[in-house]
Amino acid sequence: MVQMERCKLATKRLSFYIDGQLSDKARLVVEKHLSTCKYCQNEAILLWNARLVLKSFSSVRIPTSLDKKFTKELYK
Ligand SMILES: [Zn+2]
């Protein structure tokens, strides 16, 4: 259940992450977790979709390293 606890922490941060409001250090923690956790990847995609509905595409800051991955997930 350690994984679940980690995911709760990451999920809390995901919305800030998607909004680009995390510090560099916090962002790295989230990105590292995202790279290994399917659950949080899905959460991030859901959150990103929600942001896309609420905001114009250009105002959503997606880290370049994850941009292609998420785009691929969104449009498959
Ligand atoms: Zn997770």
Side-chain angles (χ1 to χ4, degrees), residues 3-52:
Q3 181 69 17
M4 285 298 289
E5 283 302 309
R6 275 228 221 97
C7 285
K8 254 193 233 170
L9 281 174
T11 304
K12 267 191 201 170
R13 288 174 177 166
L14 275 175
S15 61
F16 294 109
Y17 171 70
I18 298 291
D19 284 338
Q21 291 173 353
L22 289 178
S23 67
D24 287 346
K25 195 180 171 188
R27 190 183 307 134
L28 280 175
V29 172
V30 173
E31 282 186 0
K32 195 176 178 187
H33 181 76
L34 274 176
S35 69
T36 59
C37 181
K38 278 276 173 198
Y39 174 80
C40 289
Q41 282 172 26
N42 284 334
E43 287 293 309
I45 290 165
L46 287 175
L47 284 167
W48 192 34
N49 270 320
R51 293 303 186 279
L52 288 179

Side-chain angles (χ1 to χ4, degrees), residues 42-72:
N42 284 334
E43 287 293 309
I45 290 165
L46 287 175
L47 284 167
W48 192 34
N49 270 320
R51 293 303 186 279
L52 288 179
V53 171
L54 291 171
K55 301 175 179 180
S56 71
F57 186 84
S58 60
S59 71
V60 182
R61 275 168 282 165
I62 302 298
T64 318
S65 59
L66 292 171
D67 193 4
K68 279 178 188 163
K69 188 174 182 177
F70 282 137
T71 305
K72 201 176 155 196

